[in-house]
Amino acid sequence: MSELFDQLTPMLDRSAALTAALALFEWDAETLAPEQASDNTGKIIGILSDDYFRSLINPEVKLLLRKLEEPDNNKQLTLEQKAVVRELRRTYDQLASIPGREYSEFCELANKSSSVWAKARKNDDFKSFEPYLEKIVEYKKKFAGYRLKSQEQKDDPDAIYNILLSDFEPSLSTKELDEFFELIKEELVPLIKQVADKQDEIDDKFNTQTFDVQKQKEFNEFLANYVGFEKEKGVIAESAHPFTTNLHNKDVRMTNHYYENNLITALFSTIHESGHAIYEMQIRDDLTLTLIGTGTSMAVHESQSRFYENIVGKSKEFWKPIYSQLVDTFPEQLKDVDLDKFVKAINKSIPGYIRTDADELTYPMHILIRYELEKALFKDEITVKELPKEWKKKYMEYLGMKEDTDTKGVLQDTHWSSGDFGYFPTYAIGSAVAAQLYYFMKTQMEFDKLLEDGNLDQIKKYLGEHIHQYGMIYNMNELLESVTGEKFNPSYYIKYLKEKYGKLYGLD
Ligand code: ZN
């Protein structure tokens, strides 16, 4: 028992409650809130955010934190408490390093910048967005600069971008990411070309027929439960873009979006978001509502959603026991589509401009491009003004795509407009972590057979036991090492994509 830690607990409880309240408001704003609610709700969110900030950033917490970090006090803490202290330090430095006034100026700017971006994207008008993005980048550089500690760090040209990366995935820096993306470039660019040449062999025209939305909803609800989403601990609503959030481990909120002329998109959003939801639902009861009571990082979260979406959900074995149910839901539309044809269609790979529409094989190229641009931007090698031109150059180089508009180019993603730099790499890293886990799990269980038998529970249990339950106690590399015996190793990802697409497309 640590008395010092006990003194901290009520303050941490308060911050956890405020975090949950904010998550609920955010979820509500995207799903059910009436149109005119936003101004007043914005005010409420502002007040709650301010309370959240003050619940953690105050002299009392500062003092307790410093004491709890002293070796004599620290060694009396449990493993979980130590992780809370470590996490509190990270959050504290992140929040307290920025002067309050600059932070609210930035929030206001980011808010405005997001709406300017939305309009600019619609009108294909990068020029109107450019001054906002320039300011956002300036702020992000300044804020990250406050967190540079040693002289050595200050002299390192990658340090600023590394700080931004660490907010989303603390286990990785540009050093590992450079190696990762180098491998992707070398190994995947030729494979993507080979596969793209064989496109005519895959017929997915059935997917553009009309699919009744109500029937889609019913099937997708079944699908979510089938993969392991527990409806006693979660709800599913609709929003413009699917996402998952959580108040605690027994209240996980997920959304979907249905298209009348596209069956496949909603199916895989369901499986993807279920992967995020299952992670949160399996976090231990004693950790939820604490600073370490959520998924350990963006990359690990994304590894779980992509594991379910791609490795599990896009396999033939997964669909074997349930495909007939999908056919029964849409008998007219799927009457000429057998299981093989369906599985090929859901794995069709073709280079495109839009990241969120990309298939599993071309997806990492979209991330590679964004990573290279972000890194160059924060090393002052390119300017915001040059982004559209550099963007087009890279799409030509890596995917052979020529796109004239910025709407389908540099303006397509929302992330940069609100200052989320360093976020994109977690998507690709997540896929690679998923592949590493997959190859290891195959040595521990009859993976394909479990899928064929509809026994998804075994897989969920394994992930729960080895990853989910721990919340943020361990970071990505610690988890990978304890499960697979080695740290992050991207070679499994390359192996996975080569095997999968080689088999699907009959390549040698
Ligand atoms: Zn996701």
Side-chain angles (χ1 to χ4, degrees), residues 242-244 272-273 276 298 301-303 305-306 309 423 427:
F243 71 98
T244 302
H272 180 97
E273 299 306 329
H276 284 304
M298 286 308 305
H301 235 299
E302 211 55 33
S303 79
S305 55
R306 281 162 198 269
E309 176 191 359
Y423 192 124
Y427 293 129

